[in-house]
Amino acid sequence: GANAEALALGCRSNIRHLKFTELGRLVDEGAAAFDVAISNPPFLPERVCRHVGFARELQSQSLGAFAAGDDGQSAYAELAEVLALPGMLAPRAWVVLVCQPGQAARAAEP
């Protein structure tokens, strides 16, 4: 994207936009074994996003940008499943995920 070009990362990166459930194909393509995985997944329960306060955001972005199922945890479950695939992460890799304040332990549950 534009940021990669501005930072001269274009020749050193391969930027792709994939759904969490599609990340497994990176292993098949030999493009995985990541040292670091960073994500700011959607983490709000859908009912919260139906609140009137989200009306403006939902006009410009999909509900999926904010909501992750009934309990707000489905994105973490999808990520955990794909990150656990053999070959997805390098040995001693770091995984950094954004979550709701006070919910880190819940997001880290297996």
Side-chain angles (χ1 to χ4, degrees):
N3 287 338
E5 292 173 20
L7 296 171
L9 296 175
C11 62
R12 300 181 301 178
S13 64
N14 180 5
I15 298 171
R16 296 169 60 181
H17 299 278
L18 300 172
K19 295 179 181 179
F20 297 142
T21 55
E22 298 172 330
L23 292 173
R25 74 168 85 147
L26 297 175
V27 173
D28 299 334
E29 296 171 5
F34 297 106
D35 293 313
V36 178
I38 301 171
S39 180
N40 182 6
F43 55 74
L44 296 173
E46 284 188 25
R47 66 180 164 13
V48 171
C49 294
R50 301 275 184 218
H51 188 273
V52 71
F54 272 93
R56 186 174 59 195
E57 285 84 356
L58 291 174
Q59 288 177 358
S60 63
Q61 298 184 54
S62 72
L63 179 63
F66 302 101
D70 292 337
D71 64 356
Q73 295 295 110
S74 65
Y76 297 109
E78 289 176 15
L79 278 169
E81 186 174 323
V82 75
L83 291 174
L85 291 173
M88 180 59 73
L89 297 173
R92 302 175 57 87
W94 286 77
V95 176
V96 180
L97 302 174
V98 175
C99 65
Q100 285 181 297
Q103 295 295 317
R106 186 168 177 225
E109 289 176 0

